Amino acid sequence: MQLVVFDFCETLVNFQSADRFVDYIIEKENYRKYRWLFQLNRVLTRLRVLAVTSKIWPELNPSKRLKLLQIKGISEQKIEQYAREFYDEKVMPNLIVPLYQLMQDHVKNGDYVMVISGGYAPYIKVFSEKHQVKAYFATEMAFAAGKLTGKFVGKDCLYGQKTVLLEQYLKDHTINYTRKIAYSDSISDLPLLQWADEAFVISKGQSQPWAKAYGFKEIIHN
């Protein structure tokens, strides 16, 4: 049995899902309570404050944090409801079909398939449960008294945090596997790809030079 790890955004689906999920909720709820944060984000982006901050502290991800704060106060029940709707309306119509089929092939072959993502846990959970994924790891939204606080639980599930979570999971679970395989589109997942015994870079339309530079295999899709 192989241990197989798929990134989610632009690996299984053709978009970045975290901010898209927040925008989806804002639109559905017509939620404008924290619109000033949207304006602040725009100003900081225009002044390149966020770009500089992200370059110095890439794991901080201030733009993503400001975006999530825009739906502070939404109930946990509604977040779960919107996660199911987001899965139906946005995730499933935007699958990268060859990669989704590859994931299904791994499932049918009896491999231990996991999904890991900087996307938010509510809809990653829905996707994983519906497609026989053994475990998922994602950025967790924090709630207090049944309401979204606008913050993360722990660290954002990006960069080296992905391998930290995977290693902890493997310590907590006895899984007999022959090798580790990882699929991701992004160089930000370099720690994940180097952690695997066999790594595949997912590229849209054309090869990415860094994939060859690191000696990874590559899957190019349209």
Side-chain angles (χ1 to χ4, degrees), residues 56-153:
I56 299 172
W57 300 290
E59 296 184 18
L60 183 61
N61 212 340
S63 180
K64 183 177 178 180
R65 292 174 185 273
L66 283 171
K67 172 70 78 170
L68 183 59
L69 277 168
Q70 292 177 43
I71 55 171
K72 177 182 177 181
I74 299 286
S75 73
E76 187 170 8
Q77 184 177 16
K78 281 192 173 181
I79 295 290
E80 292 174 354
Q81 172 195 328
Y82 287 131
R84 294 189 293 270
E85 295 176 7
F86 185 76
Y87 166 82
D88 289 332
E89 296 176 21
K90 302 298 181 182
V91 171
M92 290 308 293
N94 288 289
L95 291 173
I96 299 174
V97 175
L99 271 297
Y100 172 72
Q101 290 176 339
L102 181 59
M103 188 192 80
Q104 290 298 98
D105 288 342
H106 279 297
V107 170
K108 290 174 184 175
N109 288 339
D111 293 329
Y112 200 98
V113 176
M114 300 188 284
V115 169
I116 194 159
S117 176
Y120 291 119
Y123 57 87
I124 301 293
K125 178 176 185 285
V126 175
F127 177 87
S128 298
E129 289 177 345
K130 287 183 177 291
H131 299 281
Q132 297 176 280
V133 171
K134 295 288 188 182
Y136 71 90
F137 310 86
T139 301
E140 298 280 352
M141 296 172 154
F143 296 90
K147 303 286 186 180
L148 185 70
T149 67
K151 298 179 181 179
F152 303 155
V153 176

